[in-house]
Amino acid sequence: MRRVISVACIIIMAFMIVITLTVIKFNNIKEQYQNLDPNLDNYSIAEIIFLSFERLKTSILDLSDGSNVLSKKSIFDSKIEILKSNSLNTKSFFKDEDFSTSINKLIKQSTELDKIFNSKGSIDEKRQSALMYMDTMRPTLLDLQESIYRIQIKNFNQIKEIIYDNSLDAEISSLLTIFLICTLFILLWRHSARLKKTLKNKNIFISSIYHELASSIQKIQFATDVINDEASKKDIQKYLDIINFHANKITSQTLDVLEYSKIEMGNSVIQTEPFVLNQITTDAIHSFVKRNDNSLKVRISPKNTLIRTDKKKVQSIINNLLDNSNKNSQNNIIHLHLRIFSGYLYIKVKDFGNGFDINKIGKFIQPFNQGAERDTKQGLGLGLTIIKSHIDLLKGSFKARSTIGEGTIFFVKIPVLIVHSKDRL
């Protein structure tokens, strides 16, 4: 569950980051697009100033109207001053060295043209001198016009590259956003389906608990009634064995439910204590409910080694492994072998029972696996789930080998702290 929440949080964070990047990239594209309008205006400035120059020249042809010349000259100078002020701004479109050189030269030439207008002489002489001087200004205007065109092309190329790069980034971000959204929906759908399946399996599990407990209780009640009413002394022990068997069965199943409840709520913690393996095997033998005419054979090596780990969880692992083998065997010997070696406790449980398809081991480990009961006869379907959870908590490992019709071997490896070994003293 925690892993699912972590994955969901990571996807949501990635989704938010990608959305933010996408918005930023689209805003950059919008900003660059808005810059196209003033750049287009800048593109026409070269034509406008050249047109102003030509109008000034036309007005000089008729110097009889001095006010018209001054007006045209004033307009021409204002255009030049605007370009001059723009060229001084570091963020301006016209911040360019060649452009500044051309505009400064043009300003000087315009000043010289003013001197011609203000010089002494006849109107024809002023007209002739002004027109000749304006011919010398034309190359400067052409240089200025070329600079404007070059600056414009450079800026258009820069804007084009920026828009292209931002568009590509925005496209990738958008595709990634769509991918994350699809992934999130797929995960939600999968976990929704799993939740439905879990709820269904839990309902089956509750029904199974009811039938298991009801069956055992009915048999206990029947045996009690027979003992009270009809049983002879020689039959009393048989019915007492029935009562004992089903009482132990109810106790075991109740403990399994409580243990799984702790695991599911995350309340299962490690509580270490020192003990010797003899204590474990003694408890295992007492807990082993003989059924299907099976018997238990135990081997320990070394016997008197004092170790430290979670005794209750180790005991639960062994009891559930033995119970699993006991349910799936008939008229067989179940072997339990415990061994301490190199800081590890090795547990091996071997039976010669029904066996199962080893490819389905993943399904059997899942809780409430009554769907696999036909193959494993696991009852409530919690045994292997509890075993795997305890092994994971103890940082151990778990393997199984099985052949249908021949039996099963379970291998468990758990790290332990060896306190001391009396066998070595």
Side-chain angles (χ1 to χ4, degrees), residues 40-55 79 83 141-142 144-146 148-149:
L40 289 172
D41 291 340
N42 292 329
Y43 188 77
S44 63
I45 285 177
E47 301 295 336
I48 291 172
I49 197 168
F50 209 95
L51 178 62
S52 179
F53 178 78
E54 292 297 333
R55 286 177 176 175
K79 300 292 184 184
L83 293 178
L141 278 169
L142 292 174
L144 183 65
Q145 189 178 46
E146 184 178 347
I148 293 173
Y149 291 160

Side-chain angles (χ1 to χ4, degrees), residues 128-351:
Q128 189 66 29
S129 298
L131 291 174
M132 289 179 61
Y133 190 75
M134 290 186 76
D135 288 338
T136 63
M137 293 175 65
R138 183 179 291 274
T140 305
L141 278 169
L142 292 174
D143 290 341
L144 183 65
Q145 189 178 46
E146 184 178 347
S147 297
I148 293 173
Y149 291 160
R150 179 178 52 79
I151 293 169
Q152 183 63 57
I153 292 172
K154 181 184 72 173
N155 279 272
F156 265 112
N157 287 334
Q158 289 178 350
I159 293 173
K160 180 180 177 182
E161 290 175 2
I162 291 172
I163 292 177
Y164 177 79
D165 292 340
N166 285 334
S167 298
L168 183 62
D169 292 342
E171 182 180 358
I172 293 173
S173 298
S174 300
L175 291 174
L176 187 56
T177 300
I178 294 172
F179 171 76
L180 288 174
I181 291 173
C182 292
T183 302
L184 190 60
F185 275 116
I186 290 172
L187 287 175
L188 289 174
W189 176 79
R190 286 186 59 188
H191 289 293
S192 175
R194 288 182 181 178
L195 179 60
K196 290 180 181 179
K197 183 178 179 181
T198 300
L199 291 175
K200 179 181 178 181
N201 288 340
K202 281 193 174 184
N203 289 332
I204 296 174
F205 169 70
I206 292 171
S207 176
S208 177
I209 289 178
Y210 170 78
H211 288 296
E212 290 275 348
L213 296 182
S215 176
S216 294
I217 291 170
Q218 287 175 358
K219 289 177 181 177
I220 290 173
Q221 289 176 337
F222 173 76
T224 303
D225 292 340
V226 170
I227 291 174
N228 291 334
D229 299 334
E230 304 175 4
S232 60
K233 291 183 179 181
K234 64 178 182 178
D235 293 328
I236 288 178
Q237 186 59 47
K238 180 180 73 173
Y239 290 110
L240 286 176
D241 289 341
I242 292 174
I243 293 172
N244 183 60
F245 171 80
H246 287 285
N248 288 335
K249 180 181 176 182
I250 291 173
T251 301
S252 176
Q253 291 174 339
T254 303
L255 291 175
D256 281 351
V257 173
L258 291 175
E259 189 64 36
Y260 178 74
S261 178
K262 288 182 181 180
I263 293 170
E264 193 174 42
M265 292 188 295
N267 294 333
S268 184
V269 296
I270 299 176
Q271 296 178 339
T272 64
E273 59 179 300
F275 61 92
V276 294
L277 293 182
N278 279 336
Q279 297 173 351
I280 291 285
T281 54
T282 300
D283 292 341
I285 292 170
H286 286 305
S287 301
F288 184 78
V289 179
K290 187 175 181 180
R291 66 172 71 176
N292 301 330
D293 295 324
N294 294 319
S295 59
L296 178 64
K297 184 176 181 180
V298 179
R299 184 159 60 97
I300 309 172
S301 59
K303 293 183 178 181
N304 297 315
T305 299
L306 184 66
I307 61 174
R308 177 180 286 274
T309 187
D310 193 318
K311 179 183 176 182
K312 291 183 179 179
K313 287 183 174 52
V314 173
Q315 187 72 65
S316 176
I317 291 169
I318 292 173
N319 289 346
N320 277 289
L321 286 173
L322 292 176
D323 186 60
N324 183 78
S325 293
N326 200 15
K327 291 174 183 176
N328 291 280
S329 302
Q330 188 168 1
N331 298 319
N332 281 313
I333 299 174
I334 297 172
H335 296 267
L336 170 63
H337 181 199
L338 304 180
R339 184 187 180 199
I340 299 292
F341 181 74
S342 297
Y344 288 94
L345 167 62
Y346 294 87
I347 303 172
K348 176 182 175 182
V349 175
K350 181 179 181 181
D351 66 64

Side-chain angles (χ1 to χ4, degrees), residues 11-62:
I11 290 176
I12 291 172
M13 289 179 63
F15 178 75
M16 296 302 296
I17 291 171
V18 170
I19 286 291
T20 303
L21 291 175
T22 303
V23 171
I24 291 173
K25 294 300 180 183
F26 274 115
N27 285 337
N28 287 337
I29 294 173
K30 182 179 178 181
E31 181 181 352
Q32 295 304 324
Y33 179 77
Q34 290 173 346
N35 288 335
L36 286 176
D37 286 341
N39 285 335
L40 289 172
D41 291 340
N42 292 329
Y43 188 77
S44 63
I45 285 177
E47 301 295 336
I48 291 172
I49 197 168
F50 209 95
L51 178 62
S52 179
F53 178 78
E54 292 297 333
R55 286 177 176 175
L56 174 60
K57 188 175 181 180
T58 302
S59 66
I60 292 174
L61 292 174
D62 184 14

Side-chain angles (χ1 to χ4, degrees), residues 353-367:
N354 301 324
F356 62 90
D357 185 355
I358 196 63
N359 294 322
K360 296 182 180 180
I361 186 68
K363 294 182 179 179
F364 300 150
I365 291 174
Q366 297 298 317

